[in-house]
Amino acid sequence: DDFAGPAVMAWHAMAELLAKGIKSLPAHAMTAALVGAIFGLVIPFIGAANKKIGKWLPSPIALGIAFMVTPYSALAMWLGAVVTSFYNRRNPEAVDKYGASLASGLIAGEGLMMVVVAILLILGVSWV
């Protein structure tokens, strides 16, 4: 529970599934996986068929990641996308030039801070 980073949670769930089998999944997990797979396959076709609707449809990959990580992380990613979208209207060149680097740096920074937090917890620091 102390190390609830998105990648940690995803790998933990996958390891548990491989160790315990499909029966370890919650009751309706396979149904949810099937619905998600269908949506993931259908969304690009809808977007290609109708460009007006397609520009408002989410990326299937982004949806998959959002369902794989914790809600806090998905919300943080969404907020970052909204801020980037608004800033893109004011300065698209800066977003093109620095956007990917900034996002990568924020993700790497979160991972590094988790290492710092882990070390502080091991050392017995109570305010973490």
Side-chain angles (χ1 to χ4, degrees), residues 59-105:
S59 160
I61 295 172
L63 278 177
I65 291 172
F67 281 103
M68 197 173 77
V69 299
T70 61
Y72 171 78
S73 298
L75 183 61
M77 290 177 203
W78 173 80
L79 183 60
V82 169
V83 169
T84 302
S85 176
F86 281 119
Y87 191 67
N88 191 43
R89 291 180 185 170
R90 297 182 131 214
N91 195 347
E93 295 84 22
V95 172
D96 285 343
K97 189 173 182 179
Y98 301 113
S101 298
L102 177 61
S104 300

Side-chain angles (χ1 to χ4, degrees), residues 17 20 31 35 38 44 46-47 53 62 64 69-70 76 82 98 106 116 124-125:
L17 176 65
K20 297 178 181 176
T31 304
V35 169
I38 291 169
I46 293 172
I53 294 173
V69 299
T70 61
V82 169
Y98 301 113
L106 290 170
V116 171
V125 176

